[in-house]
Amino acid sequence: MSETLDTEILALMRRVSEQIILPRFQNLAREDIVEKAADDLVTIADREAEDALQAALAALGPNVAIVGEEAAHADPSVLEALSDDCWIIDPIDGTHNFAHGQAPFGILLARASGGMCQSGWIYDCLSGRFCAAHRGAGASVNGEKFLARTTGENPPIAAISALFLDDEERAVVDAHIAPHYRLADIPRCAAEQYPRLALGENDISTFKRTLPWDHAAGVLWLNEAGGCAQRLDGSAYRVDDNSDGCKKPGLVGASSPKIWEEYAARALANPV
């Protein structure tokens, strides 16, 4: 069943990438890019891709709610479906890169139930890399079963995002966290950042903003691959975490549970 679904989802992601996203790559007019908020862009390709993905998923899973990034931006009530059976769409993850004619960027899709991601898919539009995971059934890359591996580096390699930290929070990270790791650039693309944590490229990634379309698929895939992604307090990531208005602790992904635990101990001892 999961293999059949993976085949259908891959065909959908590939089609949307080839027919809608890639023809716009490095080919956007100024009016094709809109700033939704500070440092938060959307392009005509995001909107067209989400429309195409939504139509196909509605046919694939009738009577299942659909939560798309752009739909939720236009109508926040869409988020109410996150606690039910739903599809979650990020039509172009890494829009900032895409809008500037740069890699990486990809498509993220997830299927959730009861606030927990049950299946997730990550597609790299430029390379065609396809990551899939199903709860309790493991993870795969390009159809092959896959287990996470660390970088093997000492100190471990960390991509620590400071995009949404204030000056005081950055100072804490610089003084107490960063010295224990070799820092790497963040790709500004969860569709790339999660795979890096399992492919031996990064050991730690941190996220302060944890929107479901950015993280549902990646968290499930990394955990099913044998890595570790969870809230800093050790709780599981839920796609409906913010539905009650409460601020949840940051999300941390790691190439192994041991590396996650070591990072969490430092971060909890020096909270930002």
Side-chain angles (χ1 to χ4, degrees), residues 112-189:
S113 179
M116 300 298 292
C117 183
Q118 304 300 322
S119 298
W121 302 272
I122 307 171
Y123 184 75
D124 185 310
C125 295
L126 292 174
S127 72
R129 182 185 62 207
F130 178 64
C131 301
H134 303 275
R135 183 168 296 276
S140 65
V141 176
N142 296 330
E144 299 293 329
K145 288 292 186 181
F146 180 79
L147 292 176
R149 60 181 182 270
T150 70
T151 65
E153 297 290 325
N154 187 19
I157 298 176
I160 299 177
S161 174
L163 285 176
F164 303 104
L165 302 182
D166 59 30
D167 290 343
E168 182 177 350
E169 291 169 331
R170 287 191 182 93
V172 171
V173 170
D174 289 345
H176 301 289
I177 305 297
H180 299 282
Y181 300 92
R182 179 157 69 84
L183 300 187
D185 290 337
I186 63 167
R188 295 196 64 155
C189 173

Side-chain angles (χ1 to χ4, degrees), residues 7-25:
T7 298
E8 294 174 327
I9 294 294
L10 173 57
L12 170 60
M13 294 171 115
R14 182 179 289 150
R15 182 172 70 252
V16 170
S17 178
E18 292 176 351
Q19 296 181 2
I20 297 175
I21 297 173
L22 291 181
R24 301 277 190 178
F25 182 49

